[in-house]
Amino acid sequence: MSIRKNMLRSFCVRTFCLLTVIALLASGCSDDQPTPAAKRDTDNTISIMVPLHQSKPPNNDLIEALQKMTGTALNIEWVPNDIYRDRMINAIETNSLKKVTFVSQTDYVFVKNAIRSNMFWEIGPYLDLYPNLKTLNKSILEETTIDGKLYGLYAERPPSRQGIILRKDWLDKLGLKPPGSLDELYNVLKQFTYGDPDGNGRQDTVGLADRSDLIFGAFKTLSSYFGTPNGWALQEGKFIPDFATPEYMNTMNYMKKLYDDGLINKDFPVTSKQVQRYMLISGKAGAVIGTMQDAPKLSDEMTKINPQAELTLANRILGPKGYGVWSIESFSGLFMFSKKAIKTEEELRSILAFYDRLMKPDASNLLQYGIQGVHYTVKDGKALIIKKANESRNADVMPLEALLIANLSNPAILKIHEEGQDPLFVMADRLTADNNNMLIRNPTENLTSPTYDSTGAELWQIIYNATYNYMLGRIDAAGFRSEIVNWERKGGSNIIEEYNEAYAKLKAQSINR
């Protein structure tokens, strides 16, 4: 089965279809242009494909500074993030990869067959040859392994940035405090819906704006507040999928009550992230549940409409089992190295030397903050963003962050100075760090299931649909359980068995060491 067929079995078919249309339109209208400073790809040039999360690539002066600093000619293809997966998989299927390709953690499953087909260099044996690469976090490297081997250099991310973004001015008007429990959260959302928080005398607001995403929308974060396992529960050496646990059912009941009581947008199963954000920005909703780092940007856009609007954050919501929040793998993606494009071990080692060089202070801080004296200065040993250059930094420098490896744990990267920073930015960072004290880990992170790799996304669609249908009242508990049986019958039982076997094997290897 090809990678593209696997890709079609996405976690959200509607989203994937939209991205595919965008990709086709984009490819039909224009060709991607490499960075203006890029050299023609030769044996001495490092060609790299990375996602572009901003509207345009970084400033050409920054790329030239990076090339001069590292003594390297770069040919960087910046692909808009919305079509990146499609472009990456097309490059794999046509065997036209750049020398270095970034693969996001969520897309890693689509690349595993290519890895096993010997399309990428194994880099594990080389890391100890480099002073900086050999310091990479061993536990994060372990998360990225395929069949016990390392194939990529990781970009890092916090294990959990999840929390609740709320209208602080609405809380203040209604005499409420940020919620600290599930019951308090329900009451806040009810008052945001029926307490006329905007003071216009009409019942035209809703407590929670959510979107069609059971992972990065509200559901999985609420689920962790109920104590639901993260993906899988490990009980007496056997795995149970999270959706077969009582805690998952409790979460569905909570969301169903929000829906039945009108405290959430009625069309949340088909709402896009853009519409969800606009509901908060425009004052139609009082809260969203998701990534707390979204709050500063949301606040900026909101105050353009209503200068009196104010946001705050909450991350500790007490549930039946205490505090908890689900976590993701500590890597957001991997830089992987094509065997076709990189023809010799000598060339591979020179490219790895480039990435080792990127971990030094001058290069890593250039990628993180821009040019010292132009975009930032150093105060108290920290990077102080130059206020008048902040807008240009956001436009020109932020795309460069896509080239960073080990971006959180590299001691060479300066910490950011809080002076002049948005208080919401500071608060989001502080609560994200606090999340580390209550993480709920996925016990299958280091395990492999061939059935999951090939059909897991298609099988997940069964549970995805059943979960929404239950919350909307279209099926009852018995109907939901029958969909679990359907999931097992179509391959889920194989996934369970394979994870059980992989866990037993890993445990045996650990004992024998």
Side-chain angles (χ1 to χ4, degrees):
M1 183 174 292
S2 73
I3 297 171
R4 188 173 300 279
K5 288 182 180 179
N6 286 336
M7 180 186 68
L8 291 172
R9 299 183 171 117
S10 65
F11 288 108
C12 180
V13 172
R14 290 182 299 274
T15 301
F16 171 73
C17 290
L18 175 61
L19 296 184
T20 302
V21 170
I22 293 172
L24 290 172
L25 289 174
S27 62
C29 295
S30 64
D31 294 326
D32 284 323
Q33 296 298 318
T35 301
K39 312 287 189 216
R40 183 172 180 176
D41 194 8
T42 68
D43 286 344
N44 298 320
T45 301
I46 301 178
S47 57
I48 308 173
M49 186 170 82
V50 290
L52 178 65
H53 297 278
Q54 286 72 32
S55 59
K56 61 179 183 179
N59 187 294
N60 189 40
D61 293 342
L62 292 165
I63 297 296
E64 289 181 345
L66 181 64
Q67 292 183 126
K68 183 177 180 181
M69 186 178 292
T70 60
T72 307
L74 298 174
N75 182 349
I76 305 175
E77 182 182 3
W78 300 93
V79 179
N81 188 58
D82 285 348
I83 61 171
Y84 188 82
R85 176 190 292 177
D86 187 76
R87 188 63 55 84
M88 176 198 70
I89 291 176
N90 181 68
I92 291 174
E93 292 191 333
T94 58
N95 205 7
S96 58
L97 290 162
K98 302 294 185 183
K99 292 179 181 179
V100 184
T101 299
F102 182 82
V103 179
S104 74
Q105 187 277 325
T106 53
D107 292 342
Y108 200 24
V109 64
F110 303 130
V111 182
K112 288 183 177 179
N113 285 338
I115 292 172
R116 293 179 174 123
S117 298
N118 205 32
M119 289 184 67
F120 295 96
W121 283 91
E122 180 192 356
I123 64 168
Y126 302 100
L127 297 187
D128 283 344
L129 302 176
Y130 303 91
N132 297 305
L133 295 183
K134 72 179 182 180
T135 69
L136 291 173
N137 186 294
K138 297 296 187 290
S139 63
I140 299 177
L141 289 173
E142 181 68 22
E143 289 180 17
T144 74
T145 58
I146 298 291
D147 303 328
K149 297 179 180 180
L150 290 170
Y151 292 90
L153 299 175
Y154 62 81
E156 207 170 349
R157 64 184 176 187
S160 179
R161 294 178 286 196
Q162 302 306 109
I164 306 173
I165 303 173
L166 304 119
R167 284 288 295 267
K168 183 180 185 300
D169 55 320
W170 286 13
L171 289 171
D172 294 342
K173 182 179 184 298
L174 297 168
L176 300 170
K177 295 180 180 180
S181 70
L182 286 163
D183 288 342
E184 289 177 6
L185 175 59
Y186 175 86
N187 183 56
V188 165
L189 298 181
K190 184 175 182 179
Q191 293 301 312
F192 279 2
T193 303
Y194 298 111
D196 191 23
D198 57 1
N200 67 359
R202 298 191 298 271
Q203 199 274 295
D204 58 355
T205 58
V206 67
L208 178 67
D210 194 28
R211 67 182 192 263
S212 58
D213 188 334
L214 290 178
I215 307 299
F216 294 101
F219 184 84
K220 192 170 180 68
T221 299
L222 284 173
S223 188
S224 62
Y225 298 156
F226 275 96
T228 307
N230 184 1
W232 296 84
L234 181 59
Q235 298 179 0
E236 299 179 354
K238 303 297 182 183
F239 285 102
I240 299 171
D242 61 354
F243 49 80
T245 65
E247 294 84 1
Y248 192 97
M249 178 63 69
N250 292 339
T251 309
M252 290 197 297
N253 286 331
Y254 188 88
M255 288 281 286
K256 185 176 187 301
K257 184 172 176 59
L258 295 181
Y259 175 79
D260 291 343
D261 293 351
L263 312 188
I264 188 173
N265 50 312
K266 290 291 186 182
D267 58 350
F268 76 97
V270 294
T271 297
S272 68
K273 183 176 182 179
Q274 290 74 20
V275 171
Q276 177 201 28
R277 293 178 77 257
Y278 183 73
M279 290 181 67
L280 185 71
I281 291 167
S282 64
K284 299 300 182 184
V288 295
I289 299 175
T291 301
M292 292 184 289
Q293 269 75 9
D294 285 347
K297 180 66 172 176
L298 289 167
S299 179
D300 286 345
E301 296 184 31
M302 180 182 297
T303 52
K304 291 176 184 177
I305 299 174
N306 178 3
Q308 282 71 50
E310 189 176 359
L311 293 177
T312 191
L313 302 169
N315 75 314
R316 283 185 171 262
I317 303 298
L318 185 64
K321 294 186 173 182
Y323 294 108
V325 65
W326 66 283
S327 68
I328 52 181
E329 289 86 348
S330 297
F331 69 100
S332 60
L334 298 171
F335 292 92
M336 302 182 64
F337 306 90
S338 166
K339 275 200 166 182
K340 180 180 180 183
I342 304 171
K343 296 179 172 57
T344 66
E345 180 181 347
E346 181 182 8
E347 185 179 7
L348 172 67
R349 290 178 63 169
S350 70
I351 294 174
L352 290 175
F354 165 73
Y355 278 94
D356 185 79
R357 179 67 180 83
L358 288 187
M359 291 184 69
K360 290 187 176 181
D362 56 351
S364 57
N365 285 300
L366 173 70
L367 296 178
Q368 183 74 59
Y369 298 116
I371 298 173
Q372 186 174 347
V374 176
H375 300 101
Y376 77 99
T377 59
V378 178
K379 181 178 179 180
D380 303 326
K382 296 182 178 181
L384 177 63
I385 305 303
I386 297 175
K387 196 167 187 179
K388 64 180 182 180
N390 197 42
E391 186 173 339
S392 66
R393 178 183 174 272
N394 289 341
D396 297 331
V397 181
M398 287 184 70
L400 274 180
E401 294 178 8
L403 298 175
L404 278 167
I405 63 171
N407 40 301
L408 296 181
S409 57
N410 182 359
I413 299 179
L414 296 169
K415 302 297 182 185
I416 193 166
H417 204 289
E418 292 186 4
E419 182 180 319
Q421 290 298 308
D422 185 334
L424 270 177
F425 177 89
V426 176
M427 187 180 190
D429 272 3
R430 176 171 57 82
L431 297 186
T432 295
D434 181 55
N435 276 355
N436 291 336
N437 298 312
M438 51 185 180
L439 297 175
I440 302 173
R441 293 284 190 182
N442 184 339
T444 67
E445 281 180 356
N446 296 331
L447 304 178
T448 297
S449 160
T451 302
Y452 177 81
D453 289 349
S454 62
T455 63
E458 177 185 7
L459 292 173
W460 163 247
Q461 197 67 37
I462 296 171
I463 303 303
Y464 177 93
N465 292 335
T467 301
Y468 276 116
N469 284 332
Y470 182 89
M471 293 188 294
L472 297 177
R474 295 172 180 169
I475 61 174
D476 58 11
F480 185 79
R481 286 192 293 270
S482 71
E483 289 303 299
I484 295 177
V485 172
N486 186 31
W487 175 86
E488 292 173 341
R489 180 174 55 83
K490 290 189 174 181
S493 59
N494 292 336
I495 295 176
I496 294 173
E497 182 179 350
E498 288 163 3
Y499 275 143
N500 287 339
E501 291 175 353
Y503 177 74
K505 183 178 179 180
L506 185 66
K507 191 174 180 180
Q509 290 173 345
S510 178
I511 293 173
N512 292 332
R513 284 174 185 166

